[in-house]
Amino acid sequence: MTFYKKLSPFYNLIVFYCIISFLLRIVLLFHPITQSSFTILECLKIFGLGFISDLFTFIVASVFLWLYLIFISNSKYNTPSGYIILAVFVALFLYIASGKSIFDEYGGALPRIILIFVGIKTVLFALLLFLPKLRDKIRYWLFVFVIFLYVLLILQNGISEYFFWNEFGVKYNFIAVNYLIYTNEVIGNIMQSYPVIPIFSALFLVTAIFTYFIVKRSGNYIDAIPSVTDKLKITGVYVVLFMISLAAIPTLAKTENSRNVFVNELQSTGLYKFYLAFENNKLDYFKFYKTLPAEKAFNILKRQLPGISGENTKRTITSDSLENHKNVVLITIESLSAEYMKMYGNKENITPFLDSLAQKSLQFTNLYAAGNRTVRGLEAVTLCLPPTAGESVLKREDNKNKFSTGSIFKQRGYNVKFMYGGDAFFDNMQDFYSGNGYDIVDKSSFSAEEVTFENVWGVCDEDMYNKAIKVMNAEAKENKPFFNHIMTVSNHRPFTYPNNKIDIPGDIKSRDGGVKYTDYSLKKFFAMASKQPWFKNTVFVIVADHCASSAGKTQLPLDKYRIPAFVYDPNAKPKKYNQLMSQIDLMPTLFGLLHFSYKSKFFGQDVLKPDYKQRAFIATYQDLGLIKDNVLTILSPKQQVKQFKLKPEPKDGIAPDYQIDYNEKCMKTERTDLVNETISFYQTASDMLKKKKYQK
């Protein structure tokens, strides 16, 4: 067999991939949404550079094919190596099946998926080992399956790129990444929007046909399995091409610099664009959402933020009293939905301490989380600006030196820290908070003696609070006030925590247990804190980062964004604030309570001021919502706007201030004033970030 024939599986699949990509570009070029004409030079750029980019992209994507082919051999089934390898597979399968493997810490479907994969590998290896007469036939059908899978993925990607272009007029971007996150909603939308059964039936039929021809042209690889020497040559060639491809793909992407956006999009390779979406996490507001002239947008914003002028949010916040430089401890609690607390209707008594503490605090009973992930909650209380399209500011490259709550405290000589029981590299917290002047206390700061329990997310909340007390005791000796932001981890899947702490065992992985242990740990923290000399001079702010789930019947279900929040001051009388507000308002309100006077850029406001106008922001990565006047206005990509009339659906036994369920009825008549106000908030926030006006 010539060396060329030994590369036949790679060669034939590359040819197939490039043909599909070429045909896809032609289809997209003449698609009705591609409202542009192209010069001959632009067409050469689209198809010429696009082809080269496709070639290099597939070389990188074929790494799994190379791994599969390179390990095909007969020698591994010889005695005793075959039995040793089989024993390793069996041991690995039993380890995963035990339910105590490292994969179980992640919860969800991951352990099951890995168990199935290892199980199939074990069975196949055993068949090939014990049935040598059928080995060639089994190997042949495995080879067919691998080729079938590659052909299917190539065709599936082509179809996906077509439908994505049909929707948005671009190749993959962050919305496509978002589709992987909201799988249930996306699959449901696909099932209702397209004739799925006919499409997939045709897809599998076409895949089978092309697989037949590719296998026929590539089957010689397994008819005469290459020797070790030949495999080393194949590996050498592949590694060189792989390294060249890694350098060439981003270089070619830089040539996508035409003023005609369609030229750039058609030239690009969808798979690489998808990778970039993961890396950049951006969704350009001005490209995908409805906009207003900049001057008009900021003029509308001025009605909400009196005192601003020009195209920014600069204004002066003044107090008529002396500033009170009390210590501040901000605790953002993982996934604490309002529905878990007794006052919002929960009957399981899983937050007894928080229920009692709320009665001694300034309660905010009608507060909404800005988003549905931890990074959004952290962004809301740190930067106090509406959630912008795409990924959170925390995870963007330009995430440093922002105007933040930490910077306000720093100006007053506070020690400023972010405390997290896990690894702060997760979700880019380390990079964001250190880049904004916070000192970091995370799992790496703990000594072995300080850790009594940990899971994949980090140390348990009790350990985190014990560490926090030690840190604050040391800070108090410096005769400087401190601001410490603590992010909890225990109320997160897999919901494991130390046993014998509450009446729900920590090893049964119960969500109610996670909530109750979080509450128990907080009670212990306050018991310890109350014995410290700095306690009476400290204000505690407690708020959830987001709800436990964001899925619902509507785009933005209100009950999935309602979170508890309160401010506890040992020297203040309890109060209740029942007006609509946003998570981004919490810290500006605290600054008002401390009588801070400062230059502000925050979109968040002191809700206790008489000029505050009620509204709240709720969002996913792509749907941006504003709640106001019992109307939910949602901005979506493709310049779409929807409005819903909100009607309370009260539940028996719950006070009016704590009702969280609403019926969202689509409005036939548009409230243009609210549409413009929603656009104003999100457009100006995006503008401030894009033009780097939100720096401290």
Side-chain angles (χ1 to χ4, degrees):
M1 183 165 56
T2 63
F3 190 69
Y4 163 79
K5 289 183 178 179
K6 293 169 187 175
L7 296 174
S8 57
F10 296 98
Y11 170 79
N12 289 313
L13 283 171
I14 285 176
V15 169
F16 179 69
Y17 175 71
C18 289
I19 290 172
I20 295 299
S21 297
F22 175 78
L23 293 174
L24 178 65
R25 283 192 175 91
I26 293 177
V27 170
L28 299 184
L29 189 73
F30 293 101
H31 193 285
I33 207 169
T34 313
Q35 297 175 356
S36 178
S37 57
F38 303 95
T39 65
I40 294 175
L41 189 61
E42 286 175 333
C43 288
L44 288 173
K45 195 166 183 256
I46 289 169
F47 289 98
L49 294 179
F51 166 75
I52 298 171
S53 182
D54 291 339
L55 195 65
F56 287 124
T57 299
F58 186 82
I59 289 171
V60 173
S62 62
V63 64
F64 298 106
L65 179 65
W66 165 70
L67 285 171
Y68 163 71
L69 293 175
I70 219 68
F71 282 104
I72 292 177
S73 72
N74 283 318
S75 58
K76 62 186 177 185
Y77 301 107
N78 294 337
T79 305
S81 58
Y83 294 100
I84 294 171
I85 294 171
L86 180 61
V88 171
F89 273 125
V90 171
L92 182 60
F93 178 81
L94 293 174
Y95 166 67
I96 300 168
S98 69
K100 297 180 180 179
S101 73
I102 189 171
F103 307 111
D104 290 281
E105 296 295 335
Y106 290 88
L110 181 63
R112 194 178 309 129
I113 292 170
I114 295 175
L115 182 68
I116 292 170
F117 175 76
V118 174
I120 292 171
K121 286 288 293 181
T122 304
V123 170
L124 288 173
F125 189 88
L127 289 173
L128 290 165
L129 177 64
F130 295 119
L131 301 173
K133 291 182 180 179
L134 297 176
R135 189 175 297 161
D136 289 343
K137 189 169 286 187
I138 294 171
R139 182 181 287 131
Y140 172 80
W141 286 109
L142 284 175
F143 180 77
V144 170
F145 174 75
V146 171
I147 299 298
F148 179 88
L149 197 58
Y150 259 89
V151 172
L152 178 65
L153 290 173
I154 290 168
L155 290 173
Q156 176 64 56
N157 176 68
I159 293 170
S160 299
E161 284 196 45
Y162 170 79
F163 282 117
F164 198 82
W165 187 278
N166 194 53
E167 282 289 310
F168 302 105
V170 295
K171 291 288 186 76
Y172 295 138
N173 59 16
F174 190 73
I175 297 175
V177 179
N178 190 34
Y179 282 176
L180 290 183
I181 298 168
Y182 298 103
T183 331
N184 292 337
E185 291 86 346
V186 172
I187 291 174
N189 179 57
I190 291 171
M191 295 293 287
Q192 293 178 13
S193 303
Y194 304 106
V196 174
I197 294 176
I199 288 175
F200 276 91
S201 298
L203 174 62
F204 279 101
L205 178 61
V206 172
T207 300
I209 293 169
F210 280 111
T211 299
Y212 170 78
F213 287 107
I214 292 174
V215 168
K216 194 174 182 181
R217 294 171 60 87
S218 309
N220 47 26
Y221 185 93
I222 56 170
D223 291 338
I225 300 169
S227 65
V228 174
T229 304
D230 288 334
K231 286 180 180 178
L232 288 174
K233 289 179 183 177
I234 293 170
T235 299
V237 171
Y238 180 76
V239 169
V240 170
L241 290 173
F242 185 86
M243 299 305 293
I244 292 172
S245 300
L246 288 181
I249 293 169
T251 303
L252 286 166
K254 291 178 182 177
T255 66
E256 297 162 14
N257 52 10
S258 173
R259 292 183 180 179
N260 186 335
V261 176
F262 284 113
V263 173
N264 298 330
E265 292 293 335
L266 288 168
Q267 178 190 330
S268 65
T269 300
L271 292 176
Y272 183 61
K273 292 276 284 186
F274 191 83
Y275 164 77
L276 288 178
F278 265 115
E279 286 292 300
N280 297 327
N281 302 322
K282 292 176 183 175
L283 187 57
D284 191 339
Y285 179 91
F286 298 93
K287 185 175 182 180
F288 289 98
Y289 293 83
K290 197 168 184 179
T291 59
L292 296 168
E295 184 179 359
K296 183 177 180 180
F298 277 96
N299 282 338
I300 294 173
L301 184 66
K302 191 174 182 179
R303 299 173 198 163
Q304 271 282 336
L305 305 177
I308 68 171
S309 60
E311 295 182 7
N312 59 69
T313 55
K314 289 180 182 176
R315 63 195 187 281
T316 301
I317 307 295
T318 56
S319 173
D320 55 6
S321 303
L322 288 174
E323 291 192 3
N324 191 342
H325 291 177
K326 288 188 173 185
N327 305 312
V328 176
V329 177
L330 167 62
I331 303 174
T332 43
I333 301 178
E334 175 68 46
S335 305
L336 187 72
S337 307
E339 64 183 359
Y340 292 144
M341 296 190 68
K342 185 177 180 179
M343 53 190 160
Y344 290 98
N346 191 286
K347 298 178 181 179
E348 303 301 321
N349 194 32
I350 54 177
T351 58
F353 176 72
L354 283 169
D355 290 330
S356 64
L357 187 65
Q359 304 307 315
K360 305 171 187 175
S361 307
L362 167 58
Q363 287 186 60
F364 300 102
T365 66
N366 198 10
L367 183 145
Y368 285 87
N372 50 19
R373 282 205 60 211
T374 296
V375 285
R376 285 301 190 188
L378 296 178
E379 175 188 277
V381 296
T382 304
L383 301 181
C384 307
L385 84 168
T388 46
E391 187 57 277
S392 163
V393 176
L394 268 75
K395 301 183 77 172
R396 299 180 191 177
E397 282 186 27
D398 180 27
N399 66 359
K400 299 173 180 63
N401 299 313
K402 299 298 182 190
F403 187 78
S404 67
T405 53
S407 66
I408 299 296
F409 285 113
K410 280 263 186 181
Q411 290 169 6
R412 284 152 183 78
Y414 278 68
N415 282 322
V416 175
K417 287 185 174 64
F418 176 72
M419 300 184 180
Y420 179 60
D423 186 342
F425 282 101
F426 177 73
D427 265 348
N428 216 39
M429 290 184 278
Q430 170 90 38
D431 185 58
F432 172 74
Y433 279 105
S434 61
N436 284 286
Y438 288 68
D439 294 324
I440 307 293
V441 176
D442 71 350
K443 184 180 172 182
S444 64
S445 309
F446 286 67
S447 66
E449 295 74 25
E450 291 175 322
V451 179
T452 64
F453 182 92
E454 62 180 313
N455 62 19
V456 66
W457 291 110
V459 302
C460 63
D461 285 356
E462 284 179 274
D463 291 345
M464 181 68 256
Y465 289 137
N466 288 335
K467 182 72 171 179
I469 293 291
K470 290 181 182 179
V471 171
M472 288 186 268
N473 284 342
E475 287 176 319
K477 293 176 182 177
E478 297 180 30
N479 294 318
K480 290 173 64 178
F482 55 75
F483 167 59
N484 291 322
H485 181 174
I486 302 173
M487 178 69 220
T488 74
V489 301
S490 289
N491 188 32
H492 195 297
R493 191 176 298 279
F495 306 116
T496 55
Y497 47 85
N499 279 318
N500 304 315
K501 300 290 183 175
I502 58 173
D503 56 4
I504 303 175
D507 50 13
I508 67 169
K509 302 178 182 179
S510 155
R511 180 178 286 279
D512 280 359
V515 174
K516 196 164 189 176
Y517 174 73
T518 296
D519 183 81
Y520 165 86
S521 302
L522 200 59
K523 180 180 180 180
K524 285 194 68 176
F525 169 68
F526 271 88
M528 288 186 290
S530 64
K531 298 174 183 176
Q532 311 307 320
W534 45 262
F535 178 74
K536 290 188 177 179
N537 192 42
T538 303
V539 178
F540 299 86
V541 183
I542 299 165
V543 63
D545 61 344
H546 58 85
C547 282
S549 168
S550 60
K553 295 179 181 179
T554 55
Q555 267 180 286
L556 296 175
L558 265 65
D559 60 311
K560 303 300 184 181
Y561 287 84
R562 188 77 164 266
I563 56 173
F566 33 92
V567 175
Y568 175 70
D569 183 338
N571 304 307
K573 292 181 179 179
K575 293 180 182 177
K576 193 187 293 183
Y577 182 83
N578 301 322
Q579 304 305 309
L580 176 67
M581 63 183 288
S582 172
Q583 198 175 23
I584 74 171
D585 300 318
L586 190 59
M587 295 307 288
T589 302
L590 174 74
F591 294 147
L593 292 169
L594 296 174
H595 307 295
F596 283 8
S597 295
Y598 58 101
K599 303 285 186 182
S600 178
K601 291 186 180 181
F602 293 142
F603 283 75
Q605 301 171 65
D606 180 353
V607 300
L608 302 178
K609 290 287 179 74
D611 59 353
Y612 167 69
K613 298 179 180 66
Q614 299 178 55
R615 84 285 173 271
F617 306 96
I618 59 175
T620 63
Y621 288 93
Q622 57 180 331
D623 294 319
L624 311 175
L626 175 73
I627 308 168
K628 187 173 182 180
D629 296 345
N630 287 317
V631 172
L632 170 61
T633 305
I634 301 176
L635 308 179
S636 299
K638 292 178 64 181
Q639 290 78 41
Q640 290 185 350
V641 179
K642 293 180 182 177
Q643 287 185 304
F644 300 87
K645 190 68 179 176
L646 304 175
K647 183 181 178 182
E649 293 185 333
K651 289 184 178 179
D652 293 339
I654 303 174
D657 297 336
Y658 301 105
Q659 295 286 349
I660 65 174
D661 293 304
Y662 286 83
N663 174 265
E664 300 177 22
K665 186 176 182 181
C666 192
M667 292 170 55
K668 295 180 180 178
T669 305
E670 184 180 271
R671 278 279 305 267
T672 307
D673 59 327
L674 290 179
V675 171
N676 287 341
E677 192 168 324
T678 307
I679 295 170
S680 168
F681 275 118
Y682 287 109
Q683 180 179 324
T684 55
S686 300
D687 179 82
M688 293 279 288
L689 291 171
K690 189 172 186 178
K691 296 180 179 176
K692 302 195 176 190
K693 298 179 187 176
Y694 212 74
Q695 306 303 100
K696 69 180 178 183

